[in-house]
Amino acid sequence: MDYVDAQRVEGIYFKEKDPDSQPQDVEMVSVEENSESINARYDMDRNKENLALIINNESFDDTTKMSKRQGSERDASAIKHTLESLHFKVIDHNNLSVNKMTEIFADISKMEHTKYNCFVCVILTHGEDDNQIYGTDSKVKLDTLVEMLLPERCPSLIGKPKLFFIQACRGTKLDSGGDVLGGASVDARDIYKKVTPHKVPVWADFLLAYSTVPGFYSWRNSTTGTWFIQSLAHILERDGDRLELQHLMLSVNRKVAYEYESDTDKPETNGMKQVPSIVSMLTKQLYFYK
C-alpha cells in the first residue's frame, strides 16, 4: 500500500535456534555420493523457450482504498523488454481481479512445461504485511498463488527453476538507513531417475525476490517506475547472459540499497532507503542466454 502514517524502525530482532540441534529419532540418509551425478546447472536448452508471466495492477476499485500506481507501466515495459531479450515468451496482463489472477495461475499449472526451460512471474501491485498482495478488487496471500505451481498441482515444472519477482509494499515501515563509516539437454526427471534415493522437496527450485523486506514500504516514482524493477531490468539487460542468477540478484540488491534514496518535501519520508529480500530455494546454478 502507499505511504500511510509510516513510522521509523528502531530495531529488528531475531531469535536463533541451536544450529547443531537435530530432530530426535530421525534417520539421516546421505545422498552425497549420488549428488555428483546431477548437473550443477539448470538445463537452459537454447532450442527451448523460457516462459514469463507479468501481472501489472495499476488501477484499483474504490472499495480497496488503494491509489493508482502511477509509473508502473514503465516497470512492466522495461521488464518485458528485458525478459524477451533473454528468450522468454512473455504473457502480460493488466489490472486483474483476485479471481482472474487465481484463474491465470490455475491455467499456468495445467500447462505442459516440458517445452520450456524455466518459469518467471513478475507481479506489480500494492501489498501489505503477511505477504498480502492486491488484485483490483481485493487482496490475496501470495502463497495461495505460488502454491499452485508445487509438484502436486504442476508436475511438469518439477526440477525447473520457478522465479517470482514481487514489486509490492510489505508494510508501512520506513528504512531511514545508517551512516557508513569507513550440461547436455536432458529432462530433469530423467536425470533424477538415475539417482537413488529419488525425492525432490516440494519447495525446491523456487526463488522469491521481494522488492523490500517484511513490514516495509516499497518505493515507486510516478514517472520512472520502482527502484526494484528498474534495477532488476537494468542488471538483467546488462549482465543477464554473463552472470549466474545469484550474482545478478546480489547486484540488484546493491544497486537498490546504495544508488537510491527518497527525496521528498516531508521530513518523515525524506532520505529513506530500501533493500530487496531474496528467498532462494534453488538447488543449481542458473544462467540465462541471449
Side-chain angles (χ1 to χ4, degrees):
M1 61 187 298
D2 283 340
Y3 171 76
V4 179
D5 297 329
Q7 298 178 347
R8 294 173 183 268
V9 180
E10 294 182 357
I12 302 176
Y13 302 91
F14 299 89
K15 183 180 292 184
E16 297 183 354
K17 295 182 178 180
D18 180 0
D20 297 324
S21 64
Q22 292 287 347
Q24 294 182 351
D25 301 323
V26 176
E27 182 180 355
M28 306 299 290
V29 180
S30 174
V31 294
E32 183 176 355
E33 295 179 0
N34 296 316
S35 64
E36 293 183 359
S37 63
I38 301 177
N39 197 317
R41 292 189 180 189
Y42 286 107
D43 179 22
M44 296 293 283
D45 187 349
R46 290 177 176 270
N47 294 318
K48 293 182 179 179
E49 281 187 306
N50 309 307
L51 180 64
L53 169 67
I54 299 176
I55 297 177
N56 177 30
N57 290 339
E58 288 186 81
S59 301
F60 301 83
D61 296 349
D62 292 340
T63 54
T64 65
K65 298 181 179 179
M66 293 290 108
S67 61
K68 184 174 182 179
R69 299 183 60 256
Q70 293 181 334
S72 189
E73 74 283 353
R74 296 291 297 270
D75 285 347
S77 175
I79 197 64
K80 180 179 181 179
H81 173 79
T82 297
L83 289 173
E84 288 178 338
S85 74
L86 295 174
H87 293 274
F88 277 85
K89 174 185 177 181
V90 178
I91 303 170
D92 54 343
H93 294 278
N94 297 315
N95 298 323
L96 298 181
S97 66
V98 167
N99 282 341
K100 285 293 184 182
M101 291 168 66
T102 304
E103 288 177 6
I104 287 172
F105 271 85
D107 291 341
I108 294 290
S109 71
K110 296 172 185 175
M111 291 178 60
E112 180 52 67
H113 290 273
T114 53
K115 62 181 180 179
Y116 300 115
N117 292 312
C118 70
F119 173 73
V120 163
C121 177
V122 181
I123 299 179
L124 316 171
T125 189
H126 282 301
E128 294 182 351
D129 56 5
D130 197 29
N131 279 350
Q132 299 274 358
I133 59 173
Y134 274 86
T136 56
D137 58 342
S138 60
K139 55 189 176 181
V140 62
K141 287 200 70 169
L142 176 64
D143 301 11
T144 301
L145 303 177
V146 176
E147 287 173 1
M148 292 187 183
L149 303 186
L150 292 177
E152 63 177 11
R153 299 281 298 274
C154 189
S156 64
L157 271 178
I158 293 177
K160 297 178 183 287
K162 298 163 280 286
L163 316 178
F164 288 78
F165 300 97
I166 312 301
Q167 170 54 52
C169 289
R170 304 179 75 187
T172 57
K173 296 177 182 178
L174 296 181
D175 185 344
S176 57
D179 293 332
V180 179
L181 303 178
S185 178
V186 182
D187 190 281
R189 288 170 294 181
D190 293 334
I191 297 176
Y192 290 135
K193 288 177 183 177
K194 302 174 184 178
V195 181
T196 54
H198 165 48
K199 264 192 177 180
V200 180
V202 295
W203 278 98
D205 308 308
F206 279 85
L207 179 138
L208 304 174
Y210 301 93
S211 60
T212 189
V213 295
F216 279 77
Y217 182 80
S218 184
W219 290 91
R220 168 174 44 84
N221 184 289
S222 60
T223 303
T224 60
T226 61
W227 299 359
F228 174 60
I229 295 298
Q230 291 298 319
S231 296
L232 177 65
H234 173 78
I235 296 298
L236 288 178
E237 184 75 26
R238 187 187 70 186
D239 299 322
D241 62 338
R242 188 174 66 86
L243 298 178
E244 199 274 329
L245 179 62
Q246 307 288 355
H247 290 172
L248 292 169
M249 297 313 300
L250 184 66
S251 295
V252 172
N253 276 15
R254 183 168 60 249
K255 184 175 179 64
V256 174
Y258 292 122
E259 296 185 17
Y260 287 90
E261 184 172 302
S262 66
D263 182 10
T264 74
D265 56 4
K266 297 179 180 180
E268 65 270 23
T269 60
N270 188 52
M272 296 299 160
K273 304 292 290 182
Q274 178 181 323
V275 65
S277 174
I278 315 300
V279 181
S280 176
M281 288 76 75
L282 298 180
T283 59
K284 302 180 183 181
Q285 298 174 0
L286 178 56
Y287 288 87
F288 298 118
Y289 57 90
K290 289 187 178 181

